[in-house]
Amino acid sequence: MKCRLIYMPDDSEREVDQRYAKPGMITSFADAYPFLLIGQASLNDLNKRMPLPLPINRFRPNIVFTGGKAYSEDLMNEIEIAGITFYGAKLCARCVLTTIDQQTAVKAKEPLKTLASYRMKNNKIMFGQNLIHENTGIISVGDELKVLSTHTEERFIVAKKPITTA
């Protein structure tokens, strides 16, 4: 496989969208924000609605937590993991990349077709929440996620739709 090694110098900084973050918050290679949080319960709920279940890696999160209710990450405003403070910046609008199987490179309509049936907000399909952070440290599998505050703004609320069976 041909590939190229890309290096981003330490002095290179990309600011995240300032409409959703404090001034000076940066990201690196990530699309828009440095972290994406998804709850395992959210994936489980999606997979109950899907013809075939999908693995979590289809959504490329870098923080997955267990426990809680499906889509509880939507409302997480300030959380702490291993002493690191994270802030929920915005819900993650999902793109066509989620429809490509990373093992086979085959593109399909799922999961966007199913997600669109119950996770639409302002004509965008939402799944997961983008996070920013203030301090640094190391997080590990098994670390506790503490919810310090929740969002109350309308932009974080996606109408709940029950699972329907055909």
Side-chain angles (χ1 to χ4, degrees):
M1 167 190 301
K2 286 186 176 184
C3 61
R4 293 189 310 173
L5 179 62
I6 305 292
Y7 171 73
M8 186 169 206
D10 291 340
D11 62 349
S12 177
E13 295 183 352
R14 283 181 39 221
E15 283 195 2
V16 299
D17 189 332
Q18 296 300 295
R19 291 176 295 173
Y20 307 108
K22 296 175 185 176
M25 294 287 183
I26 61 169
T27 189
S28 183
F29 286 119
D31 180 35
Y33 294 89
F35 300 97
L36 174 60
L37 174 73
I38 297 178
Q40 182 63 47
S42 302
L43 178 66
N44 294 347
D45 181 77
L46 169 62
N47 280 334
K48 286 178 191 172
R49 301 166 189 261
M50 296 276 296
L52 295 171
L54 294 176
I56 193 71
N57 68 357
R58 187 67 75 92
F59 301 96
R60 304 169 325 277
N62 43 18
I63 302 175
V64 179
F65 67 96
T66 58
K69 295 180 181 178
Y71 313 105
S72 60
E73 63 270 23
D74 290 358
L75 298 178
M76 292 181 187
N77 179 36
E78 183 179 357
I79 65 172
E80 182 182 288
I81 306 171
I84 305 169
T85 304
F86 296 90
Y87 297 95
K90 63 181 282 299
L91 298 180
C92 185
R94 302 319 306 223
C95 69
V96 70
L97 215 55
T98 61
T99 65
I100 301 168
D101 182 315
Q102 291 131 339
Q103 301 303 314
T104 64
V106 172
K107 185 177 176 184
K109 292 183 180 185
E110 294 293 2
L112 295 182
K113 179 181 175 187
T114 297
L115 282 168
S117 72
Y118 74 105
R119 293 289 299 169
M120 291 288 289
K121 178 89 176 167
N122 299 326
N123 293 318
K124 295 180 181 174
I125 300 168
M126 305 298 190
F127 193 74
Q129 185 173 179
N130 294 295
L131 304 177
I132 52 178
H133 67 292
E134 277 195 342
N135 48 349
T136 61
I138 297 173
I139 62 174
S140 302
V141 173
D143 285 345
E144 181 182 5
L145 181 153
K146 298 175 191 170
V147 179
L148 305 176
S149 67
T150 56
H151 292 292
T152 57
E153 297 171 66
E154 168 62 27
R155 68 188 181 96
F156 290 98
I157 299 169
V158 178
K160 292 185 171 131
K161 293 184 183 173
I163 296 174
T164 55
T165 55

